[in-house]
Amino acid sequence: MAEAKFLIIKQFITRQIESRVWAENAKVPSENELANQFGVSRMTARRALQELTDEGVLTRTQGLGTFVASLKSKSSILEIRNIADEIISRGHQHHCVQIKLEAVKATAPVSIALEVEEGSIIYYSQLIHCENSVPLQLEDRFVNPRLVSDYLAQDFSQTTPHTYLSQMAPLTQAHHTIEAITPEPFQCKLLKLSGLEPCLQITRKTWSVKGVVSYARLTCPGTRYRLDSQLTF
Amino acid sequence: MAEAKFLIIKQFITRQIESRVWAENAKVPSENELANQFGVSRMTARRALQELTDEGVLTRTQGLGTFVASLKSKSSILEIRNIADEIISRGHQHHCVQIKLEAVKATAPVSIALEVEEGSIIYYSQLIHCENSVPLQLEDRFVNPRLVSDYLAQDFSQTTPHTYLSQMAPLTQAHHTIEAITPEPFQCKLLKLSGLEPCLQITRKTWSVKGVVSYARLTCPGTRYRLDSQLTF
DNA sequence: ACAAAAAACTTGTATATACAACCCCAAGTG
DNA sequence: CACTTGGGGTTGTATATACAAGTTTTTTGT
């Protein structure tokens, strides 16, 4: 049950930092110093320092030394899950109602987002995700036809665009914005809303290695949907 | 300029995976096999496998072997930044208007969130974050007095509650929810809103090692504020 | 035939060693 | 003075070796 040596050194270092003995940006003992102090080989001391560096606790620069990383105001992160997974993991039933699936001309804002020429032909899908038959999210999606040529041939009552697209072109990057909006009349109608309730609007732009894959606008009624996230540091 | 040997092996492995030569959960050559194949020592091959494991690309179990990790439907991540940092990084001016800072009795929902007894004394602060003198976020915050005893002695026109709390009790966990709401009259008044515009409401619950530190409700006008995040996989 | 023991293979930890690459500073050089 | 050179300290890469510990397969013993 005796703990590994490099773990003991890691603990020692993190405790020095947490108890403010070693301040931010302070110099940490070198590999050789730690090795002598703890009676281990340099490689073992090195491992402790290296892992803490990978974890963002320390920073190291060759020739200079090892230092306590600046703690920087920890910005939390929120997981944005695929809504289908989310519904299913709640033990509820998910299904899509496909409303539109067609080729359209790119308007100015969409062409900028997709990085294609204004007026060029792109693919557009509109569908509603339902949880136990209640509309939960309206998905308007614009897809780059150069990267996903047979998008229009799909049937999105079976698989969602998101899962289809991630299979076709693995994501390398994503950009999200989240806003609170007052829904447009057509959105109210599709989501069966009275009209006065605010909506969460998530826009999601995704890249693969070859370029912008798709640009989606996800609209969710504020009374029915909520983004949720639990995380540990 | 020649690349390091362990990097070459890492590249080799990731390419096998990306090109679907090695499927999900497939067995990866052992340390010794890779060492022979690439003419390096076992420790070097090991390093490649280890780093890819740390990065979540592979999984390893002692005695069994190394395997391609399941790709799992990539759920994206959104960064929730401290609003003060956010404003400052935009090059704008940030300042707080402290409205309330007092001890109150915990109501039922707050007592549950803070994990204290209903009716017990807790600390409460209410303040507004302004960007260039425009109200951008209303912050209602409830603080556990057992963990942060001198909260009421602070002056939050200088430092924000968030930075003060993270200094006093380093975060170990956080929970967020994001909703779109119609603001209450008192919120409209404080944020100088006309009343009909929807708001983003973020509730943030944070833990330190000793327990629940604080429970905050952040209300932002939908027309002035937007959550934003860019990330690479 | 069944069970226990051993062997073979795997990853995990630890060490000693060598050299490369980089930074800083001081001593020497023009 | 300005510049170069070198030395000492530091992290980075790579190797060979040894043993521990876990899993699977094979062998052995009853």
Side-chain angles (χ1 to χ4, degrees):
Chain A
M1 221 43 180
E3 274 196 325
K5 296 186 181 178
F6 76 91
L7 285 179
I8 294 174
I9 300 179
K10 280 181 74 173
Q11 272 180 33
F12 167 74
I13 295 174
T14 51
R15 277 184 191 144
Q16 297 295 311
I17 295 173
E18 280 170 3
S19 60
R20 308 282 200 278
V21 178
W22 294 347
E24 208 163 328
N25 299 329
K27 194 162 192 303
V28 169
S30 74
E31 297 177 354
N32 283 316
E33 283 172 342
L34 283 174
N36 288 332
Q37 250 180 269
F38 285 87
V40 299
S41 79
R42 184 196 145 203
M43 293 307 288
T44 303
R46 173 178 178 72
R47 177 168 177 185
L49 292 171
Q50 192 55 56
E51 292 196 1
L52 287 173
T53 303
D54 293 340
E55 294 164 16
V57 178
L58 304 176
T59 62
R60 331 186 68 197
T61 46
Q62 187 173 101
L64 233 170
T66 306
F67 304 87
V68 178
S70 35
L71 311 163
K72 64 184 163 194
S73 69
K74 299 162 184 160
S75 58
S76 317
I77 45 180
L78 177 78
E79 216 175 331
I80 299 182
R81 300 179 60 190
N82 183 308
I83 189 157
D85 296 344
E86 206 168 319
I87 291 173
I88 291 167
S89 74
R90 276 200 284 266
H92 291 176
Q93 218 211 328
H94 166 265
H95 79 272
C96 286
V97 179
Q98 181 175 312
I99 298 173
K100 289 180 182 168
L101 182 55
E102 56 196 28
V104 298
K105 282 190 181 176
T107 61
V110 171
S111 67
I112 291 171
L114 278 186
E115 294 173 12
V116 298
E117 275 198 22
E118 187 174 341
S120 67
I121 300 297
I122 57 174
Y123 298 153
Y124 171 64
S125 64
Q126 183 179 61
L127 46 92
I128 293 180
H129 297 270
C130 297
E131 175 171 25
N132 293 345
S133 302
V134 178
L136 196 61
Q137 185 179 89
L138 172 63
E139 171 186 325
D140 293 286
R141 186 181 293 271
F142 301 93
V143 174
N144 189 335
R146 257 198 28 252
L147 302 184
V148 191
S149 54
D150 53 351
Y151 187 69
L152 298 183
Q154 301 309 309
D155 175 12
F156 292 128
S157 54
Q158 301 304 315
T159 115
T160 68
H162 178 262
T163 54
Y164 173 70
L165 288 174
S166 4
Q167 281 170 8
M168 298 314 292
L171 298 186
T172 57
Q173 233 181 350
H175 184 106
H176 292 90
T177 69
I178 301 183
E179 297 173 271
I181 61 153
T182 308
E184 305 288 330
F186 83 93
Q187 293 172 323
C188 292
K189 193 179 155 199
L190 289 171
L191 289 167
K192 292 176 184 147
L193 290 176
S194 68
L196 286 176
E197 44 182 326
C199 285
L200 270 187
Q201 181 166 287
I202 306 168
T203 62
R204 163 187 282 166
K205 182 174 169 182
T206 54
W207 284 258
S208 79
V209 281
K210 294 175 193 158
V212 178
V213 175
S214 93
Y215 178 72
R217 189 174 55 221
L218 314 172
T219 311
C220 319
T223 51
R224 297 185 202 146
Y225 186 72
R226 171 189 300 170
L227 273 171
D228 236 315
S229 106
Q230 170 92 40
L231 68 125
T232 56
F233 295 104
Chain B
M1 220 46 179
E3 274 195 322
K5 296 186 181 180
F6 76 91
L7 285 179
I8 294 175
I9 300 180
K10 280 181 74 174
Q11 272 180 32
F12 167 74
I13 294 173
T14 51
R15 279 186 190 145
Q16 297 295 310
I17 296 173
E18 280 171 1
S19 60
R20 309 280 201 278
V21 178
W22 294 348
E24 209 164 327
N25 298 329
K27 194 162 191 304
V28 169
S30 73
E31 297 177 354
N32 284 317
E33 283 172 342
L34 283 173
N36 288 332
Q37 250 180 270
F38 285 86
V40 300
S41 79
R42 184 195 144 202
M43 293 306 288
T44 304
R46 173 180 178 72
R47 178 169 176 185
L49 292 171
Q50 191 56 56
E51 291 196 0
L52 287 173
T53 303
D54 293 341
E55 293 164 16
V57 177
L58 305 176
T59 62
R60 330 186 68 196
T61 47
Q62 188 173 92
L64 232 169
T66 307
F67 305 87
V68 178
S70 35
L71 312 163
K72 62 186 164 193
S73 72
K74 299 162 184 161
S75 57
S76 315
I77 287 173
L78 179 74
E79 213 176 334
I80 300 182
R81 301 179 61 190
N82 183 309
I83 189 156
D85 295 343
E86 206 167 319
I87 290 173
I88 290 166
S89 74
R90 276 201 284 267
H92 291 177
Q93 217 211 330
H94 166 266
H95 80 272
C96 287
V97 179
Q98 182 174 311
I99 298 172
K100 291 180 181 169
L101 182 55
E102 56 195 28
V104 297
K105 282 189 181 177
T107 61
V110 172
S111 67
I112 292 171
L114 278 185
E115 293 172 15
V116 298
E117 273 197 23
E118 185 174 343
S120 67
I121 299 298
I122 58 174
Y123 299 154
Y124 170 64
S125 64
Q126 183 179 61
L127 46 92
I128 292 181
H129 297 269
C130 297
E131 175 171 23
N132 293 345
S133 302
V134 178
L136 196 60
Q137 184 179 88
L138 172 63
E139 171 186 323
D140 293 286
R141 187 182 291 272
F142 301 93
V143 174
N144 189 335
R146 258 198 26 253
L147 302 185
V148 190
S149 53
D150 52 353
Y151 187 70
L152 297 185
Q154 301 309 308
D155 175 13
F156 292 127
S157 54
Q158 301 304 315
T159 115
T160 68
H162 179 260
T163 53
Y164 173 69
L165 289 175
S166 4
Q167 280 169 10
M168 298 314 292
L171 298 187
T172 57
Q173 232 179 347
H175 184 103
H176 293 91
T177 69
I178 300 182
E179 294 173 274
I181 61 153
T182 307
E184 306 288 329
F186 83 92
Q187 294 172 323
C188 292
K189 193 179 156 200
L190 289 171
L191 288 168
K192 292 179 184 145
L193 291 177
S194 68
L196 286 177
E197 44 183 326
C199 286
L200 269 188
Q201 182 166 286
I202 305 168
T203 63
R204 164 187 280 167
K205 183 173 168 181
T206 54
W207 284 258
S208 79
V209 281
K210 293 174 193 159
V212 179
V213 175
S214 94
Y215 177 72
R217 190 174 54 222
L218 312 172
T219 311
C220 319
T223 51
R224 296 184 203 146
Y225 186 72
R226 170 189 299 169
L227 274 170
D228 235 314
S229 106
Q230 170 92 38
L231 68 126
T232 56
F233 296 102

